[in-house]
Amino acid sequence: VQLQASGGGLVQTGGSLRLSCVASGLTIRNYAMSWFRQAPGKEREFVSAISWNTYYLDSVKGRFTISRDNARNTVYLQMNNLKPEDMAVYFCAAGLSLTIANVRLSGSYEYWGQGTLVTVSS
């Protein structure tokens, strides 16, 4: 199984980026797919997930949108109105049998991508 994340880069405050996570070795429609992020010196935190429903970190609601293309086996995270506090390495993850109770927990996920860096300049 491999999750290949891409799309990070340098953007100004208020700008947009779209992250992609291409999965191989698993079929994303059978998994909950999520994005987490980790800023320097901080713990990894949940950002968004998609399964039967979508879930978001409160601070990104209304700015970020998660989606998936089952035909391409790819998950996306559209990030608009980026802020300096969004700057982090973003990781995609895949997990089975997730519920509203554990979808935000990093330990619930079996597979992780390598991360893509998002830098937001103020």
Side-chain angles (χ1 to χ4, degrees), residues 1-5 19-36 46-56 65-70 72-77 91-99 102-105 108-113:
V1 173
Q2 189 172 21
L3 302 177
Q4 184 70 40
L19 305 183
S20 300
C21 175
V22 180
S24 57
L26 62 80
T27 302
I28 65 167
R29 66 174 180 266
N30 296 330
Y31 285 76
M33 300 298 296
S34 296
W35 290 93
F36 286 74
F46 170 82
V47 176
S48 183
I50 185 167
S51 56
W52 295 110
N53 295 307
T54 57
Y55 306 87
Y56 294 96
T65 303
I66 192 170
S67 62
R68 64 184 174 193
D69 184 335
N70 291 336
R72 289 182 166 81
N73 223 30
T74 300
V75 178
Y76 303 99
L77 185 68
F91 300 88
C92 60
L96 278 173
S97 304
L98 297 187
T99 69
N102 61 9
V103 70
R104 290 176 169 83
L105 303 177
S108 302
Y109 292 83
E110 289 91 350
Y111 303 108
W112 290 85

Short mmCIF file of all heavy atoms in Angstrom, two decimals, residues 1-5 19-36 46-56 65-70 72-77 91-99 102-105 108-113:
data_model
loop_
_atom_site.label_atom_id
_atom_site.label_comp_id
_atom_site.label_asym_id
_atom_site.label_seq_id
_atom_site.Cartn_x
_atom_site.Cartn_y
_atom_site.Cartn_z
N VAL A 1 0.85 -1.19 0.00
CA VAL A 1 0.00 0.00 0.00
C VAL A 1 0.88 1.23 0.00
O VAL A 1 1.87 1.32 0.74
CB VAL A 1 -0.92 0.02 1.23
CG1 VAL A 1 -1.68 1.34 1.32
CG2 VAL A 1 -1.89 -1.16 1.19
N GLN A 2 0.50 2.18 -0.83
CA GLN A 2 1.23 3.44 -0.89
C GLN A 2 0.24 4.58 -1.03
O GLN A 2 -0.70 4.51 -1.83
CB GLN A 2 2.21 3.45 -2.05
CG GLN A 2 3.15 4.64 -2.05
CD GLN A 2 4.24 4.51 -3.10
OE1 GLN A 2 4.10 3.77 -4.07
NE2 GLN A 2 5.33 5.24 -2.92
N LEU A 3 0.47 5.63 -0.25
CA LEU A 3 -0.30 6.86 -0.37
C LEU A 3 0.68 7.96 -0.74
O LEU A 3 1.60 8.26 0.02
CB LEU A 3 -1.01 7.20 0.95
CG LEU A 3 -1.97 6.16 1.50
CD1 LEU A 3 -2.54 6.61 2.84
CD2 LEU A 3 -3.10 5.89 0.52
N GLN A 4 0.48 8.54 -1.91
CA GLN A 4 1.41 9.54 -2.44
C GLN A 4 0.74 10.91 -2.38
O GLN A 4 -0.15 11.21 -3.17
CB GLN A 4 1.80 9.20 -3.86
CG GLN A 4 2.84 10.13 -4.46
CD GLN A 4 4.20 9.96 -3.83
OE1 GLN A 4 4.63 8.84 -3.54
NE2 GLN A 4 4.88 11.06 -3.59
N ALA A 5 1.19 11.74 -1.45
CA ALA A 5 0.62 13.08 -1.29
C ALA A 5 1.43 14.09 -2.09
O ALA A 5 2.66 13.98 -2.19
CB ALA A 5 0.61 13.48 0.17
N LEU A 19 -4.35 19.88 -2.39
CA LEU A 19 -3.53 18.71 -2.13
C LEU A 19 -4.19 17.48 -2.75
O LEU A 19 -5.42 17.38 -2.77
CB LEU A 19 -3.35 18.50 -0.63
CG LEU A 19 -2.79 19.67 0.17
CD1 LEU A 19 -2.60 19.25 1.63
CD2 LEU A 19 -1.52 20.20 -0.42
N SER A 20 -3.35 16.57 -3.21
CA SER A 20 -3.83 15.30 -3.76
C SER A 20 -3.16 14.15 -3.04
O SER A 20 -2.00 14.26 -2.63
CB SER A 20 -3.51 15.22 -5.26
OG SER A 20 -4.11 16.26 -5.98
N CYS A 21 -3.88 13.06 -2.92
CA CYS A 21 -3.33 11.84 -2.33
C CYS A 21 -3.77 10.68 -3.22
O CYS A 21 -4.95 10.33 -3.24
CB CYS A 21 -3.84 11.66 -0.91
SG CYS A 21 -3.34 10.11 -0.14
N VAL A 22 -2.81 10.13 -3.94
CA VAL A 22 -3.08 9.01 -4.84
C VAL A 22 -2.75 7.71 -4.10
O VAL A 22 -1.64 7.54 -3.59
CB VAL A 22 -2.25 9.10 -6.12
CG1 VAL A 22 -2.56 7.93 -7.04
CG2 VAL A 22 -2.52 10.43 -6.83
N ALA A 23 -3.73 6.82 -4.05
CA ALA A 23 -3.56 5.56 -3.34
C ALA A 23 -3.28 4.43 -4.33
O ALA A 23 -3.87 4.36 -5.40
CB ALA A 23 -4.80 5.24 -2.52
N SER A 24 -2.39 3.55 -3.92
CA SER A 24 -2.15 2.32 -4.67
C SER A 24 -2.09 1.18 -3.66
O SER A 24 -1.63 1.35 -2.53
CB SER A 24 -0.86 2.40 -5.48
OG SER A 24 0.24 2.68 -4.64
N GLY A 25 -2.60 0.03 -4.08
CA GLY A 25 -2.62 -1.11 -3.18
C GLY A 25 -3.84 -1.19 -2.29
O GLY A 25 -3.97 -2.13 -1.50
N LEU A 26 -4.70 -0.20 -2.37
CA LEU A 26 -5.98 -0.24 -1.68
C LEU A 26 -6.99 0.54 -2.50
O LEU A 26 -6.62 1.36 -3.34
CB LEU A 26 -5.90 0.31 -0.25
CG LEU A 26 -5.49 1.76 -0.01
CD1 LEU A 26 -6.68 2.72 -0.23
CD2 LEU A 26 -4.98 1.93 1.41
N THR A 27 -8.25 0.29 -2.23
CA THR A 27 -9.34 0.97 -2.93
C THR A 27 -9.95 1.97 -1.97
O THR A 27 -10.52 1.59 -0.95
CB THR A 27 -10.39 -0.04 -3.40
OG1 THR A 27 -9.75 -1.01 -4.24
CG2 THR A 27 -11.50 0.65 -4.16
N ILE A 28 -9.84 3.26 -2.29
CA ILE A 28 -10.18 4.28 -1.30
C ILE A 28 -11.66 4.26 -0.93
O ILE A 28 -12.02 4.68 0.16
CB ILE A 28 -9.77 5.69 -1.77
CG1 ILE A 28 -10.55 6.12 -3.01
CG2 ILE A 28 -8.27 5.78 -1.99
CD1 ILE A 28 -10.41 7.60 -3.32
N ARG A 29 -12.53 3.75 -1.82
CA ARG A 29 -13.94 3.76 -1.47
C ARG A 29 -14.24 2.83 -0.31
O ARG A 29 -15.30 2.93 0.32
CB ARG A 29 -14.81 3.40 -2.67
CG ARG A 29 -14.66 1.99 -3.18
CD ARG A 29 -15.69 1.70 -4.28
NE ARG A 29 -15.56 0.34 -4.79
CZ ARG A 29 -14.84 0.03 -5.84
NH1 ARG A 29 -14.19 0.98 -6.50
NH2 ARG A 29 -14.77 -1.21 -6.25
N ASN A 30 -13.31 1.92 -0.02
CA ASN A 30 -13.50 0.99 1.09
C ASN A 30 -12.94 1.53 2.40
O ASN A 30 -13.03 0.86 3.44
CB ASN A 30 -12.84 -0.34 0.78
CG ASN A 30 -13.47 -1.04 -0.41
OD1 ASN A 30 -14.67 -0.87 -0.68
ND2 ASN A 30 -12.67 -1.78 -1.15
N TYR A 31 -12.31 2.71 2.35
CA TYR A 31 -11.62 3.26 3.50
C TYR A 31 -12.14 4.65 3.84
O TYR A 31 -12.64 5.37 2.97
CB TYR A 31 -10.12 3.39 3.20
CG TYR A 31 -9.37 2.08 3.22
CD1 TYR A 31 -9.48 1.19 2.17
CD2 TYR A 31 -8.56 1.75 4.30
CE1 TYR A 31 -8.80 -0.02 2.19
CE2 TYR A 31 -7.87 0.56 4.32
CZ TYR A 31 -7.99 -0.33 3.26
OH TYR A 31 -7.30 -1.51 3.29
N ALA A 32 -11.98 5.02 5.09
CA ALA A 32 -12.05 6.42 5.45
C ALA A 32 -10.71 7.04 5.10
O ALA A 32 -9.66 6.50 5.46
CB ALA A 32 -12.33 6.59 6.94
N MET A 33 -10.75 8.14 4.38
CA MET A 33 -9.53 8.82 3.95
C MET A 33 -9.46 10.17 4.66
O MET A 33 -10.46 10.90 4.71
CB MET A 33 -9.54 9.01 2.44
CG MET A 33 -9.62 7.73 1.65
SD MET A 33 -8.21 6.63 1.93
CE MET A 33 -6.86 7.62 1.28
N SER A 34 -8.29 10.49 5.15
CA SER A 34 -8.16 11.69 5.97
C SER A 34 -6.90 12.46 5.65
O SER A 34 -5.98 11.93 5.04
CB SER A 34 -8.13 11.31 7.45
OG SER A 34 -9.35 10.74 7.85
N TRP A 35 -6.91 13.70 6.09
CA TRP A 35 -5.73 14.55 6.08
C TRP A 35 -5.42 14.97 7.51
O TRP A 35 -6.32 15.38 8.25
CB TRP A 35 -5.95 15.78 5.22
CG TRP A 35 -6.03 15.50 3.75
CD1 TRP A 35 -7.17 15.27 3.03
CD2 TRP A 35 -4.93 15.39 2.84
NE1 TRP A 35 -6.84 15.04 1.71
CE2 TRP A 35 -5.48 15.10 1.57
CE3 TRP A 35 -3.55 15.51 2.96
CZ2 TRP A 35 -4.68 14.93 0.43
CZ3 TRP A 35 -2.77 15.34 1.83
CH2 TRP A 35 -3.33 15.07 0.58
N PHE A 36 -4.17 14.84 7.87
CA PHE A 36 -3.65 15.35 9.12
C PHE A 36 -2.54 16.34 8.79
O PHE A 36 -2.03 16.36 7.67
CB PHE A 36 -3.08 14.21 9.98
CG PHE A 36 -4.11 13.32 10.61
CD1 PHE A 36 -4.82 12.40 9.86
CD2 PHE A 36 -4.37 13.41 11.97
CE1 PHE A 36 -5.78 11.58 10.45
CE2 PHE A 36 -5.32 12.60 12.57
CZ PHE A 36 -6.03 11.67 11.81
N PHE A 46 -5.59 16.30 13.40
CA PHE A 46 -6.59 15.97 12.38
C PHE A 46 -7.03 17.25 11.67
O PHE A 46 -7.23 18.28 12.31
CB PHE A 46 -7.79 15.32 13.07
CG PHE A 46 -8.99 15.15 12.19
CD1 PHE A 46 -9.08 14.09 11.32
CD2 PHE A 46 -10.02 16.08 12.22
CE1 PHE A 46 -10.19 13.94 10.50
CE2 PHE A 46 -11.13 15.94 11.41
CZ PHE A 46 -11.22 14.86 10.55
N VAL A 47 -7.20 17.13 10.35
CA VAL A 47 -7.68 18.26 9.56
C VAL A 47 -9.05 17.95 8.95
O VAL A 47 -9.99 18.73 9.09
CB VAL A 47 -6.69 18.62 8.44
CG1 VAL A 47 -7.26 19.74 7.56
CG2 VAL A 47 -5.34 19.02 9.02
N SER A 48 -9.15 16.81 8.27
CA SER A 48 -10.40 16.50 7.58
C SER A 48 -10.43 15.02 7.23
O SER A 48 -9.37 14.39 7.09
CB SER A 48 -10.51 17.33 6.31
OG SER A 48 -11.74 17.10 5.66
N ALA A 49 -11.63 14.48 7.11
CA ALA A 49 -11.81 13.09 6.72
C ALA A 49 -13.04 12.95 5.86
O ALA A 49 -13.99 13.75 5.96
CB ALA A 49 -11.92 12.19 7.95
N ILE A 50 -13.03 11.91 5.04
CA ILE A 50 -14.19 11.59 4.22
C ILE A 50 -14.43 10.09 4.25
O ILE A 50 -13.52 9.29 4.04
CB ILE A 50 -14.01 12.11 2.78
CG1 ILE A 50 -15.27 11.88 1.96
CG2 ILE A 50 -12.78 11.50 2.10
CD1 ILE A 50 -15.28 12.63 0.62
N SER A 51 -15.65 9.75 4.58
CA SER A 51 -16.10 8.36 4.50
C SER A 51 -17.52 8.43 3.98
O SER A 51 -17.74 8.90 2.88
CB SER A 51 -15.98 7.68 5.86
OG SER A 51 -16.70 8.39 6.84
N TRP A 52 -18.49 7.99 4.77
CA TRP A 52 -19.88 8.23 4.41
C TRP A 52 -20.23 9.70 4.62
O TRP A 52 -21.17 10.22 3.99
CB TRP A 52 -20.81 7.37 5.25
CG TRP A 52 -20.64 5.92 5.00
CD1 TRP A 52 -20.10 4.99 5.84
CD2 TRP A 52 -21.00 5.20 3.82
NE1 TRP A 52 -20.10 3.76 5.27
CE2 TRP A 52 -20.66 3.85 4.03
CE3 TRP A 52 -21.60 5.56 2.60
CZ2 TRP A 52 -20.87 2.86 3.08
CZ3 TRP A 52 -21.83 4.58 1.66
CH2 TRP A 52 -21.47 3.25 1.89
N ASN A 53 -19.49 10.34 5.52
CA ASN A 53 -19.65 11.76 5.82
C ASN A 53 -18.32 12.46 5.67
O ASN A 53 -17.29 11.83 5.41
CB ASN A 53 -20.18 11.93 7.25
CG ASN A 53 -21.56 11.36 7.43
OD1 ASN A 53 -22.47 11.69 6.67
ND2 ASN A 53 -21.72 10.51 8.43
N THR A 54 -18.36 13.74 5.83
CA THR A 54 -17.11 14.52 5.89
C THR A 54 -16.96 15.14 7.26
O THR A 54 -17.96 15.46 7.92
CB THR A 54 -17.08 15.60 4.80
OG1 THR A 54 -18.23 16.45 4.94
CG2 THR A 54 -17.08 14.99 3.40
N TYR A 55 -15.73 15.30 7.67
CA TYR A 55 -15.41 15.82 8.98
C TYR A 55 -14.30 16.85 8.82
O TYR A 55 -13.41 16.68 7.99
CB TYR A 55 -14.93 14.69 9.91
CG TYR A 55 -15.87 13.52 10.00
CD1 TYR A 55 -15.81 12.48 9.08
CD2 TYR A 55 -16.82 13.44 11.02
CE1 TYR A 55 -16.67 11.40 9.15
CE2 TYR A 55 -17.68 12.36 11.10
CZ TYR A 55 -17.59 11.35 10.17
OH TYR A 55 -18.46 10.29 10.25
N TYR A 56 -14.37 17.88 9.65
CA TYR A 56 -13.37 18.94 9.56
C TYR A 56 -12.96 19.42 10.94
O TYR A 56 -13.75 19.46 11.88
CB TYR A 56 -13.94 20.15 8.79
CG TYR A 56 -14.22 19.88 7.34
CD1 TYR A 56 -15.49 19.51 6.91
CD2 TYR A 56 -13.20 19.97 6.39
CE1 TYR A 56 -15.76 19.26 5.57
CE2 TYR A 56 -13.45 19.72 5.05
CZ TYR A 56 -14.73 19.36 4.65
OH TYR A 56 -14.97 19.10 3.32
N THR A 65 -12.04 21.93 1.80
CA THR A 65 -13.03 20.97 1.32
C THR A 65 -12.32 19.68 0.93
O THR A 65 -11.40 19.71 0.12
CB THR A 65 -13.79 21.51 0.10
OG1 THR A 65 -14.42 22.74 0.43
CG2 THR A 65 -14.86 20.51 -0.33
N ILE A 66 -12.76 18.58 1.52
CA ILE A 66 -12.22 17.27 1.17
C ILE A 66 -13.14 16.61 0.15
O ILE A 66 -14.36 16.75 0.22
CB ILE A 66 -12.04 16.39 2.43
CG1 ILE A 66 -11.20 15.16 2.11
CG2 ILE A 66 -13.38 16.02 3.05
CD1 ILE A 66 -10.77 14.37 3.36
N SER A 67 -12.54 15.90 -0.78
CA SER A 67 -13.33 15.18 -1.78
C SER A 67 -12.52 13.98 -2.24
O SER A 67 -11.32 13.86 -1.94
CB SER A 67 -13.67 16.08 -2.97
OG SER A 67 -12.49 16.52 -3.62
N ARG A 68 -13.17 13.10 -2.96
CA ARG A 68 -12.45 11.95 -3.49
C ARG A 68 -12.98 11.59 -4.86
O ARG A 68 -14.16 11.80 -5.16
CB ARG A 68 -12.53 10.74 -2.55
CG ARG A 68 -13.91 10.19 -2.34
CD ARG A 68 -13.85 9.06 -1.31
NE ARG A 68 -15.17 8.58 -0.97
CZ ARG A 68 -15.44 7.80 0.06
NH1 ARG A 68 -14.46 7.40 0.85
NH2 ARG A 68 -16.66 7.39 0.31
N ASP A 69 -12.10 11.05 -5.67
CA ASP A 69 -12.42 10.55 -7.00
C ASP A 69 -12.11 9.06 -6.98
O ASP A 69 -10.95 8.66 -7.08
CB ASP A 69 -11.59 11.29 -8.05
CG ASP A 69 -11.94 10.90 -9.47
OD1 ASP A 69 -12.45 9.78 -9.68
OD2 ASP A 69 -11.69 11.72 -10.38
N ASN A 70 -13.15 8.27 -6.83
CA ASN A 70 -12.94 6.82 -6.72
C ASN A 70 -12.33 6.23 -7.99
O ASN A 70 -11.54 5.29 -7.93
CB ASN A 70 -14.26 6.12 -6.38
CG ASN A 70 -14.73 6.43 -4.97
OD1 ASN A 70 -13.94 6.77 -4.10
ND2 ASN A 70 -16.03 6.31 -4.76
N ARG A 72 -10.16 7.58 -9.89
CA ARG A 72 -8.72 7.86 -9.87
C ARG A 72 -8.05 7.39 -8.58
O ARG A 72 -6.85 7.53 -8.43
CB ARG A 72 -8.48 9.36 -10.07
CG ARG A 72 -8.76 9.85 -11.46
CD ARG A 72 -8.45 11.35 -11.60
NE ARG A 72 -8.41 11.78 -12.99
CZ ARG A 72 -9.49 12.06 -13.71
NH1 ARG A 72 -10.68 11.99 -13.16
NH2 ARG A 72 -9.36 12.43 -14.97
N ASN A 73 -8.87 6.84 -7.68
CA ASN A 73 -8.34 6.38 -6.38
C ASN A 73 -7.55 7.48 -5.69
O ASN A 73 -6.45 7.26 -5.13
CB ASN A 73 -7.45 5.14 -6.55
CG ASN A 73 -7.69 4.08 -5.48
OD1 ASN A 73 -8.80 3.95 -4.95
ND2 ASN A 73 -6.67 3.34 -5.16
N THR A 74 -8.12 8.67 -5.72
CA THR A 74 -7.42 9.87 -5.25
C THR A 74 -8.33 10.67 -4.32
O THR A 74 -9.53 10.80 -4.59
CB THR A 74 -6.99 10.73 -6.44
OG1 THR A 74 -6.12 9.99 -7.27
CG2 THR A 74 -6.27 12.00 -5.97
N VAL A 75 -7.73 11.21 -3.29
CA VAL A 75 -8.42 12.10 -2.36
C VAL A 75 -7.80 13.48 -2.49
O VAL A 75 -6.58 13.61 -2.67
CB VAL A 75 -8.28 11.59 -0.92
CG1 VAL A 75 -8.96 12.55 0.06
CG2 VAL A 75 -8.87 10.21 -0.79
N TYR A 76 -8.64 14.50 -2.38
CA TYR A 76 -8.18 15.87 -2.52
C TYR A 76 -8.51 16.67 -1.26
O TYR A 76 -9.46 16.37 -0.56
CB TYR A 76 -8.86 16.54 -3.72
CG TYR A 76 -8.65 15.82 -5.03
CD1 TYR A 76 -9.62 14.96 -5.54
CD2 TYR A 76 -7.47 16.00 -5.75
CE1 TYR A 76 -9.43 14.30 -6.73
CE2 TYR A 76 -7.27 15.34 -6.96
CZ TYR A 76 -8.25 14.49 -7.44
OH TYR A 76 -8.06 13.84 -8.63
N LEU A 77 -7.72 17.70 -1.05
CA LEU A 77 -8.04 18.68 -0.02
C LEU A 77 -7.86 20.05 -0.66
O LEU A 77 -6.73 20.48 -0.91
CB LEU A 77 -7.15 18.54 1.20
CG LEU A 77 -7.50 19.46 2.36
CD1 LEU A 77 -8.86 19.06 2.96
CD2 LEU A 77 -6.43 19.43 3.45
N PHE A 91 -0.34 15.25 5.81
CA PHE A 91 -0.26 13.82 5.55
C PHE A 91 -1.65 13.29 5.22
O PHE A 91 -2.63 13.67 5.84
CB PHE A 91 0.23 13.08 6.80
CG PHE A 91 1.59 13.48 7.27
CD1 PHE A 91 1.75 14.54 8.16
CD2 PHE A 91 2.72 12.80 6.84
CE1 PHE A 91 3.00 14.92 8.61
CE2 PHE A 91 3.98 13.16 7.29
CZ PHE A 91 4.13 14.22 8.17
N CYS A 92 -1.70 12.38 4.25
CA CYS A 92 -2.96 11.67 4.04
C CYS A 92 -2.86 10.31 4.71
O CYS A 92 -1.77 9.77 4.91
CB CYS A 92 -3.30 11.54 2.56
SG CYS A 92 -2.11 10.65 1.56
N ALA A 93 -4.03 9.79 5.07
CA ALA A 93 -4.10 8.53 5.80
C ALA A 93 -5.34 7.77 5.39
O ALA A 93 -6.34 8.36 4.97
CB ALA A 93 -4.11 8.79 7.30
N ALA A 94 -5.27 6.46 5.55
CA ALA A 94 -6.40 5.58 5.21
C ALA A 94 -6.68 4.66 6.38
O ALA A 94 -5.75 4.09 6.97
CB ALA A 94 -6.08 4.78 3.97
N GLY A 95 -7.96 4.50 6.70
CA GLY A 95 -8.34 3.64 7.80
C GLY A 95 -9.64 2.92 7.53
O GLY A 95 -10.52 3.43 6.84
N LEU A 96 -9.75 1.72 8.09
CA LEU A 96 -10.97 0.91 7.97
C LEU A 96 -11.81 1.04 9.23
O LEU A 96 -11.28 1.28 10.32
CB LEU A 96 -10.61 -0.55 7.75
CG LEU A 96 -10.26 -1.00 6.34
CD1 LEU A 96 -9.76 -2.43 6.35
CD2 LEU A 96 -11.45 -0.87 5.41
N SER A 97 -13.09 0.84 9.06
CA SER A 97 -14.00 0.71 10.20
C SER A 97 -13.93 1.88 11.16
O SER A 97 -13.94 1.71 12.37
CB SER A 97 -13.70 -0.60 10.97
OG SER A 97 -13.77 -1.71 10.11
N LEU A 98 -13.85 3.07 10.59
CA LEU A 98 -13.80 4.26 11.43
C LEU A 98 -15.20 4.79 11.68
O LEU A 98 -16.10 4.65 10.85
CB LEU A 98 -12.94 5.33 10.79
CG LEU A 98 -11.48 4.95 10.59
CD1 LEU A 98 -10.68 6.14 10.09
CD2 LEU A 98 -10.87 4.43 11.87
N THR A 99 -15.37 5.37 12.82
CA THR A 99 -16.66 5.94 13.20
C THR A 99 -16.45 7.38 13.64
O THR A 99 -15.31 7.85 13.76
CB THR A 99 -17.29 5.15 14.35
OG1 THR A 99 -16.50 5.36 15.52
CG2 THR A 99 -17.34 3.66 14.04
N ASN A 102 -13.84 7.83 16.40
CA ASN A 102 -12.39 7.68 16.28
C ASN A 102 -11.80 8.24 14.99
O ASN A 102 -10.60 8.13 14.77
CB ASN A 102 -11.98 6.22 16.42
CG ASN A 102 -12.57 5.33 15.36
OD1 ASN A 102 -13.18 5.80 14.40
ND2 ASN A 102 -12.40 4.03 15.52
N VAL A 103 -12.62 8.85 14.14
CA VAL A 103 -12.12 9.30 12.84
C VAL A 103 -11.08 10.41 12.99
O VAL A 103 -10.24 10.58 12.10
CB VAL A 103 -13.29 9.75 11.94
CG1 VAL A 103 -13.91 11.05 12.47
CG2 VAL A 103 -12.87 9.89 10.50
N ARG A 104 -11.08 11.12 14.09
CA ARG A 104 -10.13 12.21 14.29
C ARG A 104 -8.84 11.77 14.99
O ARG A 104 -7.96 12.58 15.23
CB ARG A 104 -10.79 13.34 15.09
CG ARG A 104 -11.86 14.11 14.33
CD ARG A 104 -12.54 15.14 15.21
NE ARG A 104 -13.38 16.06 14.46
CZ ARG A 104 -14.61 15.82 14.08
NH1 ARG A 104 -15.16 14.68 14.38
NH2 ARG A 104 -15.29 16.73 13.38
N LEU A 105 -8.75 10.49 15.28
CA LEU A 105 -7.60 9.98 16.03
C LEU A 105 -6.57 9.38 15.09
O LEU A 105 -6.88 8.43 14.35
CB LEU A 105 -8.06 8.95 17.05
CG LEU A 105 -9.11 9.43 18.06
CD1 LEU A 105 -9.53 8.29 18.97
CD2 LEU A 105 -8.60 10.61 18.85
N SER A 108 -6.09 5.60 14.68
CA SER A 108 -7.12 4.78 14.04
C SER A 108 -6.77 4.40 12.61
O SER A 108 -7.48 3.60 12.00
CB SER A 108 -8.45 5.55 14.05
OG SER A 108 -8.83 5.89 15.37
N TYR A 109 -5.72 4.97 12.06
CA TYR A 109 -5.41 4.81 10.64
C TYR A 109 -4.29 3.80 10.42
O TYR A 109 -3.26 3.86 11.10
CB TYR A 109 -5.06 6.17 10.02
CG TYR A 109 -6.26 7.07 9.98
CD1 TYR A 109 -6.63 7.81 11.09
CD2 TYR A 109 -7.05 7.14 8.84
CE1 TYR A 109 -7.77 8.60 11.07
CE2 TYR A 109 -8.17 7.95 8.81
CZ TYR A 109 -8.52 8.67 9.93
OH TYR A 109 -9.65 9.44 9.92
N GLU A 110 -4.48 2.95 9.43
CA GLU A 110 -3.49 1.90 9.15
C GLU A 110 -2.38 2.36 8.21
O GLU A 110 -1.25 1.87 8.30
CB GLU A 110 -4.19 0.69 8.50
CG GLU A 110 -5.07 -0.11 9.45
CD GLU A 110 -6.51 0.37 9.46
OE1 GLU A 110 -6.81 1.45 8.89
OE2 GLU A 110 -7.35 -0.33 10.05
N TYR A 111 -2.71 3.25 7.31
CA TYR A 111 -1.75 3.61 6.26
C TYR A 111 -1.57 5.13 6.21
O TYR A 111 -2.54 5.88 6.34
CB TYR A 111 -2.22 3.10 4.90
CG TYR A 111 -2.46 1.61 4.88
CD1 TYR A 111 -3.75 1.09 4.83
CD2 TYR A 111 -1.38 0.72 4.92
CE1 TYR A 111 -3.97 -0.27 4.82
CE2 TYR A 111 -1.60 -0.65 4.92
CZ TYR A 111 -2.90 -1.13 4.87
OH TYR A 111 -3.11 -2.48 4.87
N TRP A 112 -0.33 5.53 5.95
CA TRP A 112 0.04 6.95 5.91
C TRP A 112 0.88 7.26 4.68
O TRP A 112 1.70 6.45 4.27
CB TRP A 112 0.83 7.33 7.16
CG TRP A 112 -0.01 7.32 8.40
CD1 TRP A 112 -0.30 6.25 9.19
CD2 TRP A 112 -0.69 8.44 8.97
NE1 TRP A 112 -1.12 6.62 10.22
CE2 TRP A 112 -1.37 7.98 10.11
CE3 TRP A 112 -0.78 9.80 8.64
CZ2 TRP A 112 -2.14 8.82 10.93
CZ3 TRP A 112 -1.53 10.63 9.44
CH2 TRP A 112 -2.19 10.13 10.57
N GLY A 113 0.67 8.45 4.14
CA GLY A 113 1.53 8.95 3.08
C GLY A 113 2.74 9.65 3.66
O GLY A 113 2.88 9.79 4.88
#
